[in-house]
Amino acid sequence: MHQSTETYLDWFILREIPGLGCRSIKRLIRIFKSPGAVLKAGASALGAVQGIGKKQIKAIGRHETVKDAALSELDRVRQKGYRIRVLTDPGYPELLAVIPDPPPILTFIGRLNPDLPCIAVVGSRKATQYGLNTAGNLSARLARSGFQVVSGMAVGIDAMAHEGALREGKPTLAVLGSGLNRVYPRQNQRLFQRITRYGGVCSEFRVDEKPTPANFPIRNRIIAGLSCGALVVEAEKRSGSLITARLSGE
């Protein structure tokens, strides 16, 4: 069973509270079991949780101030027909849940296919034709072998990774560095639609979040966290792809 709209609202409120990051929220949920219990907890109980400081406790105590923003965001998600998975849902990806800082909320279109083993295929936006062909062919073979190919829907290697899986009629999962209302890059709008038909597109960001540069390294931990391994094609020495590979190794 998935959670009710009212319970989802508690999750959205928790995410809006200033000073609470993904690590803090995971710790709180591990202790209190639900966001509603976190919001009702007293200062002494909250203070007993490792890593939760006075400013965070005060912000949790004033959570009514962010309720309207949370309700507005939840309404936008519902109006668009986007689906929701929260950290304690049975359908939340199992591997992702165990990383140190899993997103408390994932919104998505299509399917997450949590029962399929995932493998990340990532690489350069400025790949050679050889690299593009390699990424597409390897992804197709991985998809035929029963893996769900996970990537970031960027131009270059990411797009070819998704294309390789789609070529086989197999599910692939794209993780955005923006909200679901902000498909990026724009030229991948058609790819976005095809991915949602066969697999899914997900994001931890608010639905209207813009694709700012800072979002992509944050997004990469999800690609790594979903996957049992990472295949990197033609990445530069300083690149998000190698961040993903490092996180995957960890």
Side-chain angles (χ1 to χ4, degrees):
M1 290 181 61
H2 298 304
Q3 306 192 34
S4 66
T5 298
E6 183 178 354
T7 306
Y8 279 138
L9 178 58
D10 289 340
W11 283 97
F12 278 73
I13 290 171
L14 204 59
R15 188 175 67 174
E16 291 291 337
I17 293 173
L20 279 189
C22 295
R23 286 175 186 261
S24 298
I25 290 175
K26 181 179 181 179
R27 287 173 182 158
L28 289 165
I29 295 300
R30 189 169 61 235
I31 300 298
F32 294 100
K33 308 304 180 187
S34 73
V38 174
L39 299 176
K40 293 173 184 175
S44 60
L46 292 169
V49 180
Q50 183 181 6
I52 303 301
K54 292 181 180 179
K55 287 184 178 180
Q56 292 166 312
I57 293 169
K58 185 176 181 180
I60 293 169
R62 301 179 63 225
H63 68 266
E64 288 290 335
T65 60
V66 300
K67 185 175 181 179
D68 286 348
L71 186 58
S72 177
E73 177 66 12
L74 181 55
D75 284 344
R76 279 194 286 272
V77 171
R78 294 295 192 190
Q79 287 167 9
K80 285 287 189 176
Y82 299 149
R83 302 172 71 185
I84 302 169
R85 287 289 181 276
V86 295
L87 192 53
T88 55
D89 272 337
Y92 191 93
E94 187 177 349
L95 289 180
L96 185 61
V98 300
I99 70 170
D101 51 355
I105 302 169
L106 282 174
T107 52
F108 66 101
I109 310 172
R111 300 179 302 279
L112 288 182
N113 293 306
D115 297 329
L116 284 178
C118 293
I119 190 159
V121 181
V122 294
S124 176
R125 287 176 169 83
K126 300 176 181 178
T128 65
Q129 190 60 51
Y130 173 78
L132 295 172
N133 292 341
T134 299
N137 292 334
L138 287 173
S139 295
R141 291 176 65 183
L142 288 164
R144 284 200 306 272
S145 299
F147 287 97
Q148 180 170 223
V149 173
V150 181
S151 199
M153 215 181 75
V155 296
I157 297 300
D158 285 20
M160 286 306 298
H162 295 303
E163 291 282 4
L166 292 171
R167 195 165 69 215
E168 299 296 318
K170 300 294 185 180
T172 179
L173 182 61
V175 186
L176 300 187
S178 58
L180 292 177
N181 285 350
R182 304 273 187 166
V183 177
Y184 178 84
R186 290 183 180 179
Q187 61 261 44
N188 280 351
Q189 183 74 47
R190 187 178 176 189
L191 177 61
F192 173 88
Q193 297 296 337
R194 290 169 59 219
I195 292 171
T196 60
R197 195 175 309 130
Y198 288 95
V201 178
C202 69
S203 173
E204 71 172 317
F205 298 107
R206 294 170 185 84
V207 293
D208 289 318
E209 178 83 20
K210 295 179 180 179
T212 60
N215 286 352
F216 294 97
I218 296 170
R219 177 275 308 272
N220 289 346
R221 86 189 192 289
I222 300 179
I223 296 176
L226 286 163
S227 306
C228 59
L231 175 64
V232 182
V233 182
E234 292 190 345
E236 297 175 8
K237 288 184 178 180
R238 293 186 178 183
S239 66
S241 299
L242 292 188
I243 292 172
T244 303
R246 176 178 58 79
L247 291 169
S248 191
E250 290 173 359

